[in-house]
């Protein structure tokens, strides 16, 4: 299907980054088995310094640390791009690992923002997350804006916040214009992100799902692979490369 496809969209969730050591949300032992998602709405974050302290604590413990490296699945997708087969990656992840694996930034659409920056809600200055982590390491429990002491918020989309509209629009149109849509590592239960695979199906694209557990959209998939993303995508791209080199 990949060799025959002209425009492939890869749609990734937290499951693509678990092999990089970042916990996902809904697997056993995932983030939401340790923290209550209701604590992590934008309303809570703005409501009290205590809520902000808790959220910064969860973010630093929950894999915000910047040591995570791309894994085989991220590199396989970057190779799809170098083989000229990738239209774009639409990701729910905020870990920047697709870009670090070599997918050009203008081909990665981050529906839930990105944790590489923090933004001040008063003066709107943006700061590298590394700088904010440094402040936390030095004992600041609730980092505020180094410029105006306003509330500093990670650039990721919190529950209750609207998604970046431009990104959502582009992701929607790319999903509607691809001929193969590959979901990797997502439970497909959070909207509007989880509309993307259906936009692709409705537009006549084929759907493949690589995910360890079942999803509500499994019945629409032409291909369903319940195996780990790293080994699966690495094997798949190896076969694609061989087929493409044979057919010249
Ligand atoms: N290989 C393949 N699939 C995996 C792997 C792996 N190595 N590890 C985990 N998975 C699967 C899990 O079985 C699970 O179905 O990845 C899926 C991850 O699902 P979630 O944890 O729900 O993550 P995601 O779908 O990205 O969540 C969407 O929810 O909390 C919000 O904003 C957050 O972006 C997130 C959104």
């Amino acid at each position: 299907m990949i060799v025959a496809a002209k425009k492939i969209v890869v749609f990734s969730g937290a499951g693509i980054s678990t092999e990089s050591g970042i916990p996902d949300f809904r697997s056993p032992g995932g983030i939401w088995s340790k923290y209550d998602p209701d604590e992590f709405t934008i309303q809570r974050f703005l409501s009290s310094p205590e809520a902000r302290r808790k959220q910064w604590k969860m973010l630093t413990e929950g894999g915000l640390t910047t040591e995570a490296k791309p894994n085989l699945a991220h590199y396989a997708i970057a190779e799809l791009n170098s083989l000229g087969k990738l239209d774009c990656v639409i990701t729910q992840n905020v870990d920047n690992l697709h870009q670090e694996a070599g997918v050009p930034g203008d081909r990665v659409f981050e529906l839930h923002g990105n944790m590489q920056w923090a933004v001040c809600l008063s003066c709107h200055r943006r700061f590298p997350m590394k700088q904010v982590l440094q402040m936390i390491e030095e004992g600041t429990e609730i980092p505020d804006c180094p410029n105006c002491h306003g509330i500093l918020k990670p650039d990721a989309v919190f529950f209750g916040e609207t998604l970046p509209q431009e990104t959502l629009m582009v992701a929607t149109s790319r999903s509607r214009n691809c001929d193969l849509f590959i979901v990797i590592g997502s439970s497909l239960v959070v909207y509007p992100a989880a509309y993307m695979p259906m936009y692709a199906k409705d537009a006549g694209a084929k759907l493949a799902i690589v995910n360890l557990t079942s999803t509500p959209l499994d019945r629409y998939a032409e291909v369903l692979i319940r195996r780990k993303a790293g080994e699966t995508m690495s094997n798949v791209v190896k076969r694609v490369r061989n087929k493409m080199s044979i057919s010249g």
Side-chain angles (χ1 to χ4, degrees), residues 15-16 18-19 73 183-186 209-214 224-233 235-236:
I16 199 172
T18 52
E19 293 168 65
V183 175
I184 305 177
S186 178
I209 298 179
V210 179
N211 202 59
L212 278 180
T213 51
S214 66
L224 199 48
I225 303 178
R226 291 264 172 76
R227 298 176 63 90
K228 293 178 76 169
E231 63 185 305
T232 303
M233 290 314 295
N235 292 339
V236 163

Short mmCIF file of all heavy atoms in Angstrom, two decimals, residues 15-16 18-19 73 183-186 209-214 224-233 235-236:
data_model
loop_
_atom_site.label_atom_id
_atom_site.label_comp_id
_atom_site.label_asym_id
_atom_site.label_seq_id
_atom_site.Cartn_x
_atom_site.Cartn_y
_atom_site.Cartn_z
N GLY A 15 1.74 6.55 21.91
CA GLY A 15 2.25 5.17 21.79
C GLY A 15 3.47 5.06 20.92
O GLY A 15 4.24 4.11 21.03
N ILE A 16 3.73 6.07 20.06
CA ILE A 16 4.93 6.00 19.23
C ILE A 16 6.17 6.39 20.03
O ILE A 16 7.30 6.11 19.65
CB ILE A 16 4.80 6.89 17.97
CG1 ILE A 16 5.83 6.46 16.90
CG2 ILE A 16 4.97 8.37 18.31
CD1 ILE A 16 5.68 7.11 15.56
N THR A 18 6.56 5.68 23.51
CA THR A 18 6.82 4.88 24.72
C THR A 18 8.17 4.16 24.59
O THR A 18 8.89 4.01 25.58
CB THR A 18 5.72 3.82 24.96
OG1 THR A 18 5.55 3.05 23.75
CG2 THR A 18 4.40 4.49 25.33
N GLU A 19 8.56 3.80 23.37
CA GLU A 19 9.86 3.11 23.21
C GLU A 19 11.02 4.10 23.30
O GLU A 19 12.18 3.70 23.23
CB GLU A 19 9.87 2.35 21.87
CG GLU A 19 8.87 1.18 21.86
CD GLU A 19 8.66 0.61 20.46
OE1 GLU A 19 9.61 0.07 19.87
OE2 GLU A 19 7.52 0.72 19.95
N ALA A 73 10.63 3.79 15.29
CA ALA A 73 9.40 4.19 14.58
C ALA A 73 9.55 5.61 14.02
O ALA A 73 9.23 5.88 12.86
CB ALA A 73 8.20 4.11 15.53
N VAL A 183 -2.17 5.33 11.14
CA VAL A 183 -2.22 5.70 12.57
C VAL A 183 -1.17 4.88 13.31
O VAL A 183 -1.10 3.66 13.12
CB VAL A 183 -3.61 5.40 13.17
CG1 VAL A 183 -3.63 5.66 14.68
CG2 VAL A 183 -4.70 6.22 12.47
N ILE A 184 -0.35 5.56 14.12
CA ILE A 184 0.67 4.82 14.90
C ILE A 184 0.59 5.26 16.36
O ILE A 184 0.82 6.42 16.68
CB ILE A 184 2.09 5.09 14.36
CG1 ILE A 184 2.20 4.78 12.86
CG2 ILE A 184 3.12 4.25 15.15
CD1 ILE A 184 3.56 5.09 12.25
N GLY A 185 0.25 4.32 17.26
CA GLY A 185 0.34 4.58 18.70
C GLY A 185 -0.66 5.57 19.23
O GLY A 185 -0.29 6.47 19.99
N SER A 186 -1.93 5.41 18.85
CA SER A 186 -2.96 6.28 19.44
C SER A 186 -4.20 5.46 19.76
O SER A 186 -4.61 4.61 18.99
CB SER A 186 -3.34 7.43 18.49
OG SER A 186 -4.36 8.22 19.10
N ILE A 209 -3.73 0.90 10.82
CA ILE A 209 -3.57 1.24 12.25
C ILE A 209 -2.53 0.31 12.85
O ILE A 209 -2.67 -0.92 12.77
CB ILE A 209 -4.91 1.11 13.02
CG1 ILE A 209 -5.96 2.08 12.46
CG2 ILE A 209 -4.69 1.36 14.53
CD1 ILE A 209 -7.33 2.01 13.14
N VAL A 210 -1.44 0.93 13.38
CA VAL A 210 -0.42 0.18 14.11
C VAL A 210 -0.56 0.59 15.57
O VAL A 210 -0.21 1.71 15.95
CB VAL A 210 1.00 0.52 13.61
CG1 VAL A 210 2.06 -0.24 14.39
CG2 VAL A 210 1.12 0.24 12.10
N ASN A 211 -1.11 -0.30 16.42
CA ASN A 211 -1.40 0.07 17.80
C ASN A 211 -1.47 -1.21 18.64
O ASN A 211 -2.09 -2.19 18.21
CB ASN A 211 -2.73 0.83 17.90
CG ASN A 211 -2.79 1.66 19.16
OD1 ASN A 211 -1.96 2.54 19.37
ND2 ASN A 211 -3.75 1.36 20.03
N LEU A 212 -0.87 -1.18 19.83
CA LEU A 212 -0.82 -2.42 20.63
C LEU A 212 -2.21 -2.88 21.06
O LEU A 212 -2.46 -4.07 21.22
CB LEU A 212 0.04 -2.20 21.90
CG LEU A 212 1.56 -2.33 21.72
CD1 LEU A 212 2.27 -2.08 23.05
CD2 LEU A 212 1.94 -3.69 21.16
N THR A 213 -3.13 -1.91 21.26
CA THR A 213 -4.48 -2.32 21.73
C THR A 213 -5.53 -1.82 20.74
O THR A 213 -5.24 -1.06 19.82
CB THR A 213 -4.76 -1.69 23.12
OG1 THR A 213 -4.50 -0.28 23.01
CG2 THR A 213 -3.86 -2.30 24.19
N SER A 214 -6.78 -2.29 20.97
CA SER A 214 -7.84 -1.96 20.00
C SER A 214 -8.21 -0.47 20.10
O SER A 214 -7.98 0.18 21.10
CB SER A 214 -9.08 -2.82 20.31
OG SER A 214 -9.59 -2.43 21.57
N LEU A 224 -4.53 -3.75 10.07
CA LEU A 224 -4.52 -3.56 11.52
C LEU A 224 -3.34 -4.36 12.05
O LEU A 224 -3.26 -5.57 11.83
CB LEU A 224 -5.83 -4.16 12.08
CG LEU A 224 -6.32 -3.75 13.44
CD1 LEU A 224 -6.30 -2.25 13.63
CD2 LEU A 224 -7.73 -4.30 13.66
N ILE A 225 -2.35 -3.68 12.70
CA ILE A 225 -1.17 -4.39 13.21
C ILE A 225 -1.06 -4.12 14.71
O ILE A 225 -0.82 -3.00 15.14
CB ILE A 225 0.11 -3.92 12.49
CG1 ILE A 225 -0.02 -4.11 10.96
CG2 ILE A 225 1.32 -4.68 13.03
CD1 ILE A 225 1.18 -3.63 10.17
N ARG A 226 -1.32 -5.17 15.50
CA ARG A 226 -1.30 -5.01 16.96
C ARG A 226 0.10 -5.38 17.49
O ARG A 226 0.27 -6.30 18.26
CB ARG A 226 -2.33 -5.95 17.60
CG ARG A 226 -3.76 -5.55 17.31
CD ARG A 226 -4.36 -4.71 18.43
NE ARG A 226 -5.68 -4.19 18.03
CZ ARG A 226 -6.76 -4.97 18.00
NH1 ARG A 226 -6.67 -6.24 18.36
NH2 ARG A 226 -7.91 -4.46 17.58
N ARG A 227 1.08 -4.64 17.02
CA ARG A 227 2.45 -4.92 17.46
C ARG A 227 3.13 -3.59 17.78
O ARG A 227 2.61 -2.53 17.49
CB ARG A 227 3.25 -5.63 16.35
CG ARG A 227 2.68 -7.00 15.97
CD ARG A 227 3.45 -7.56 14.81
NE ARG A 227 4.85 -7.80 15.17
CZ ARG A 227 5.32 -8.95 15.67
NH1 ARG A 227 4.47 -9.93 15.90
NH2 ARG A 227 6.59 -9.12 15.95
N LYS A 228 4.35 -3.69 18.36
CA LYS A 228 5.07 -2.47 18.75
C LYS A 228 5.44 -1.66 17.51
O LYS A 228 5.83 -2.20 16.47
CB LYS A 228 6.33 -2.84 19.55
CG LYS A 228 5.98 -3.46 20.91
CD LYS A 228 7.19 -3.88 21.68
CE LYS A 228 7.89 -2.67 22.29
NZ LYS A 228 8.94 -3.06 23.27
N ALA A 229 5.34 -0.35 17.67
CA ALA A 229 5.55 0.56 16.54
C ALA A 229 6.97 0.50 16.00
O ALA A 229 7.18 0.50 14.78
CB ALA A 229 5.21 1.97 16.98
N GLY A 230 7.95 0.43 16.89
CA GLY A 230 9.36 0.49 16.46
C GLY A 230 9.70 -0.61 15.49
O GLY A 230 10.07 -0.36 14.33
N GLU A 231 9.51 -1.88 15.93
CA GLU A 231 9.91 -3.01 15.07
C GLU A 231 9.02 -3.05 13.82
O GLU A 231 9.48 -3.28 12.71
CB GLU A 231 9.83 -4.33 15.84
CG GLU A 231 8.42 -4.69 16.29
CD GLU A 231 8.38 -5.95 17.16
OE1 GLU A 231 8.89 -7.00 16.71
OE2 GLU A 231 7.85 -5.85 18.28
N THR A 232 7.72 -2.76 14.01
CA THR A 232 6.79 -2.83 12.87
C THR A 232 7.18 -1.85 11.77
O THR A 232 7.40 -2.24 10.62
CB THR A 232 5.36 -2.50 13.34
OG1 THR A 232 5.01 -3.40 14.39
CG2 THR A 232 4.36 -2.60 12.22
N MET A 233 7.32 -0.58 12.14
CA MET A 233 7.58 0.45 11.12
C MET A 233 8.96 0.28 10.51
O MET A 233 9.17 0.52 9.32
CB MET A 233 7.39 1.84 11.70
CG MET A 233 5.95 2.20 12.02
SD MET A 233 4.78 1.76 10.69
CE MET A 233 5.34 2.87 9.38
N ASN A 235 10.49 -2.65 10.04
CA ASN A 235 10.38 -3.75 9.06
C ASN A 235 9.63 -3.30 7.81
O ASN A 235 10.03 -3.61 6.69
CB ASN A 235 9.63 -4.95 9.69
CG ASN A 235 10.46 -5.60 10.79
OD1 ASN A 235 11.66 -5.43 10.81
ND2 ASN A 235 9.79 -6.29 11.69
N VAL A 236 8.56 -2.55 8.02
CA VAL A 236 7.74 -2.11 6.88
C VAL A 236 8.58 -1.24 5.93
O VAL A 236 8.58 -1.46 4.71
CB VAL A 236 6.50 -1.31 7.39
CG1 VAL A 236 5.87 -0.49 6.27
CG2 VAL A 236 5.47 -2.25 8.01
#
